[in-house]
Amino acid sequence: MKLGDSPLKSAIIVVSLRWIDRLIGFVSTLILARLLMPEDFGLIAMASIVIGLAEAMLDVGVNVFLIQARNPSSAHYNTGWTVRILQGFLLFLLLSSASPFVAQYFGDERVQFVLIGLAFAGWVATFENVGVVNFQREMRFSQEFRYLFTRRIFGFFVTIGLALALRSYFALVIGTVTMRLFGVALSFWMHPMRPRLSLEKVSEMMGVSIFLMLKNIFMYVDGNFHKVLLGGGTNTTSMGGYTVACEVADLPSSEVLSPINRVLFPMLTRARDDIHEQLRIMNLTQGIHLLITIPVSIGLCLLADETVRILLGEKWIFVVGALQIVAFFNITSSVISAPNYLMMANGFFKVVMWISFVQLCLFGFAFSFSPWPITMENVALMRLVCLGLGTIFGYYVFKKLVPQAQIKDLFANSIRPVLASIAMTLFIVYFVFGAISDRNEVSRFMITALTGALVYGVTVVFLWLLQSRPAGPEMYVFERLKERFGK
């Protein structure tokens, strides 16, 4: 791929393939939601949060280091593989020792077993062939997809089979361990690299990883502190419901933003000697993020009740209020995600770390002085407000760090999606809801979603034409369609 190409040329492939992979995971969640109880998901969520925090505390950024390295040698890969294994073993020992105290904090002794089981699965995963990182480094995303897809489909059938047989959280733990073991074997089958134990380049790796590790800690805590507080202040049912609500609301991010960002980071890294090219890539990617996540987030808020009833079932109806709030989390991610990747591609891990730290402090302050009781809805609302304030601060820092960036570009990326989403919302509220109130939830969902998508799409195109077709995501789509069908 040429350096000047849009990230979307690769991202379209990645998003298309990644959708299939993520669809399997989402279908798995929906099936498990029908087979298991909310408290089963709560137990897994409680343990997963603790594991994620410990992983962030020990993560020295092996993959990022190898992707950023200009000409990594076999010694670099051997060191990275060894460091990951040592990190995983230390993590397993740490979490096993801490498991009784974690179970005591969450008020459920079952968390101890889940924590130990998932920590062991995490250690197993560190033995995966470090060579697979080259799928992303060399932008061979179809191979990366085959690896992730095969591992995911195996885990899907194993976990669903266990859930049918056991009908308990044991299925989730055993399924995770089994999938990790399969992933190790698969990674060595798919990539010819045969790493060996070595710490030859450990000083070089650690020299650039300290701020990356701190950034990971702050970003993880910032993204999960609200769940920790909810889990400690409520029960496994509320925790399970909130976690599933976040997963449903995270679909725009996991299905679109994450795959695009996997392309964005290596492209920005390759263009790090040309800040104007980096900004071009960043602005186009950010435009795609906003074009998708703003209407989807608003649509999910409008259709939260139907979404829960159709996808999860009546026993999950208590999560509707929280889902309506967390649906808006992705909009803030759309604003700051691409600038964060640009800063990281240029080695400004320390800055990204401090942005996450400030955002975390905002939530801690809000939670400490809040007069509201600890509920799913209240925690979600505080989180949303703090995300908004943190995004404003992060963009301010980014502008100071990269003076070539223009605020008008952010405005240009957001104005059409915002106005079109407002038009979509007004049309649905005033013309659609009243006309379909007597229909069942499936009909209401389909009619509202299709009508909303049509109104949004037509409005975006109209505004784009009204502004004389400015450069941006709409122009990119138009040019690609013209290339394909114009002849």
Side-chain angles (χ1 to χ4, degrees):
M1 174 179 292
K2 298 181 294 183
L3 196 60
D5 285 345
S6 165
L8 297 182
K9 287 190 175 181
S10 288
I12 289 174
I13 299 174
V14 178
V15 170
S16 300
L17 297 177
R18 184 70 170 175
W19 273 348
I20 300 173
D21 173 63
R22 290 294 301 169
L23 179 63
I24 294 172
F26 187 61
V27 170
S28 175
T29 298
L30 297 183
I31 295 175
L32 292 171
R34 299 279 181 172
L35 296 175
L36 306 178
M37 299 300 294
E39 67 176 42
D40 292 318
F41 284 86
L43 291 169
I44 300 298
M46 290 173 176
S48 297
I49 287 174
V50 177
I51 291 173
L53 175 59
E55 286 178 342
M57 293 174 64
L58 296 175
D59 185 11
V60 295
V62 170
N63 284 11
V64 173
F65 173 78
L66 292 174
I67 291 173
Q68 277 200 318
R70 293 188 182 274
N71 295 294
S73 64
S74 59
H76 289 94
Y77 287 97
N78 291 335
T79 300
W81 188 62
T82 305
V83 167
R84 275 201 325 209
I85 293 173
L86 293 175
Q87 170 192 319
F89 181 66
L90 180 60
L91 184 68
F92 175 65
L93 292 180
L94 176 65
L95 291 174
S96 297
S97 302
S99 60
F101 305 101
V102 174
Q104 183 178 4
Y105 170 77
F106 286 118
D108 196 314
E109 62 182 14
R110 294 174 295 177
V111 175
Q112 182 174 355
F113 164 77
V114 175
L115 184 59
I116 295 174
L118 294 183
F120 177 73
W123 182 34
V124 169
T126 63
F127 286 87
E128 290 181 353
N129 190 347
V130 71
V132 298
V133 74
N134 283 336
F135 294 156
Q136 184 180 1
R137 173 183 168 83
E138 298 168 5
M139 303 183 74
R140 292 184 283 148
F141 297 110
S142 59
Q143 288 181 276
E144 181 186 39
F145 165 75
R146 285 196 294 271
Y147 169 65
L148 296 175
F149 173 80
T150 305
R151 188 180 66 180
R152 174 61 67 88
I153 198 69
F154 176 85
F156 171 81
F157 285 112
V158 169
T159 305
I160 296 300
L162 289 169
L164 286 169
L166 302 177
R167 299 289 178 130
S168 81
Y169 62 92
F170 284 98
L172 300 175
V173 178
I174 299 172
T176 301
V177 174
T178 305
M179 184 179 69
R180 295 299 189 183
L181 287 169
F182 177 78
V184 172
L186 180 66
S187 67
F188 280 92
W189 181 77
M190 290 194 63
H191 198 281
M193 184 178 291
R194 294 296 178 262
R196 59 182 179 81
L197 296 176
S198 171
L199 293 175
E200 180 181 346
K201 299 292 183 179
V202 69
S203 59
E204 182 180 344
M205 181 174 294
M206 295 302 174
V208 300
S209 296
I210 181 63
F211 287 114
L212 178 61
M213 181 171 61
L214 292 173
K215 174 196 72 71
N216 289 339
I217 293 173
F218 288 137
M219 288 187 70
Y220 184 82
V221 175
D222 173 47
N224 292 275
F225 189 45
H226 56 127
K227 296 179 182 178
V228 174
L229 295 175
L230 180 67
T234 56
N235 51 48
T236 54
T237 298
S238 294
M239 184 65 174
Y242 186 76
T243 301
V244 172
C246 287
E247 183 169 345
V248 172
D250 193 48
L251 282 175
S253 176
S254 61
E255 307 308 325
V256 180
L257 268 67
S258 295
I260 291 177
N261 288 338
R262 291 187 71 83
V263 180
L264 179 64
F265 184 58
M267 288 199 73
L268 289 174
T269 299
R270 291 187 180 190
R272 57 188 160 195
D273 295 327
D274 186 349
I275 186 61
H276 296 290
E277 174 64 8
Q278 285 188 322
L279 287 172
R280 185 190 71 82
I281 295 172
M282 184 204 79
N283 288 327
L284 182 56
T285 305
Q286 185 184 62
I288 290 292
H289 286 177
L290 293 169
L291 194 66
I292 296 173
T293 56
I294 290 177
V296 171
S297 297
I298 293 175
L300 185 57
C301 178
L302 294 172
L303 291 169
D305 185 89
E306 289 81 2
T307 300
V308 170
R309 294 181 188 276
I310 294 171
L311 298 183
L312 304 177
E314 293 292 332
K315 65 184 177 184
W316 293 88
I317 201 66
F318 68 97
V319 309
V320 167
L323 177 59
Q324 290 177 313
I325 300 173
V326 299
F328 290 95
F329 286 4
N330 288 301
I331 296 179
T332 61
S333 299
S334 299
V335 173
I336 199 61
S337 176
N340 275 347
Y341 272 93
L342 189 149
M343 288 188 285
M344 288 191 291
N346 288 286
F348 298 123
F349 297 107
K350 184 177 180 180
V351 175
V352 179
M353 175 197 75
W354 283 114
I355 292 173
S356 297
F357 178 72
V358 169
Q359 193 161 271
L360 174 62
C361 290
L362 284 172
F363 182 78
F365 179 83
F367 186 85
S368 300
F369 293 95
S370 171
W372 303 337
I374 302 178
T375 65
M376 292 188 297
E377 293 80 6
N378 290 342
V379 170
L381 185 59
M382 283 189 288
R383 171 69 176 158
L384 179 61
V385 172
C386 293
L387 278 174
L389 295 174
T391 298
I392 294 172
F393 172 74
Y395 217 90
Y396 171 80
V397 173
F398 169 71
K399 182 66 176 66
K400 290 294 184 181
L401 191 66
V402 186
Q404 296 91 337
Q406 300 294 323
I407 297 297
K408 66 180 182 180
D409 293 327
L410 173 61
F411 179 78
N413 284 334
S414 60
I415 185 63
R416 291 186 295 276
V418 168
L419 292 177
S421 295
I422 292 174
M424 176 190 75
T425 302
L426 292 176
F427 189 88
I428 289 174
V429 170
Y430 287 102
F431 296 103
V432 178
F433 280 165
I436 63 173
S437 58
D438 58 338
R439 295 176 178 267
N440 61 48
E441 58 265 19
V442 176
S443 296
R444 292 199 305 269
F445 181 90
M446 294 300 298
I447 294 173
T448 304
L450 292 174
T451 303
L454 178 62
V455 172
Y456 175 79
V458 170
T459 307
V460 164
V461 173
F462 172 76
L463 293 173
W464 179 63
L465 294 174
L466 193 64
Q467 291 182 291
S468 300
R469 305 197 306 178
E474 298 95 341
M475 176 62 78
Y476 177 83
V477 173
F478 175 77
E479 289 179 346
R480 300 292 81 77
L481 291 175
K482 185 177 180 181
E483 288 177 1
R484 185 173 183 83
F485 302 109
K487 295 182 179 181

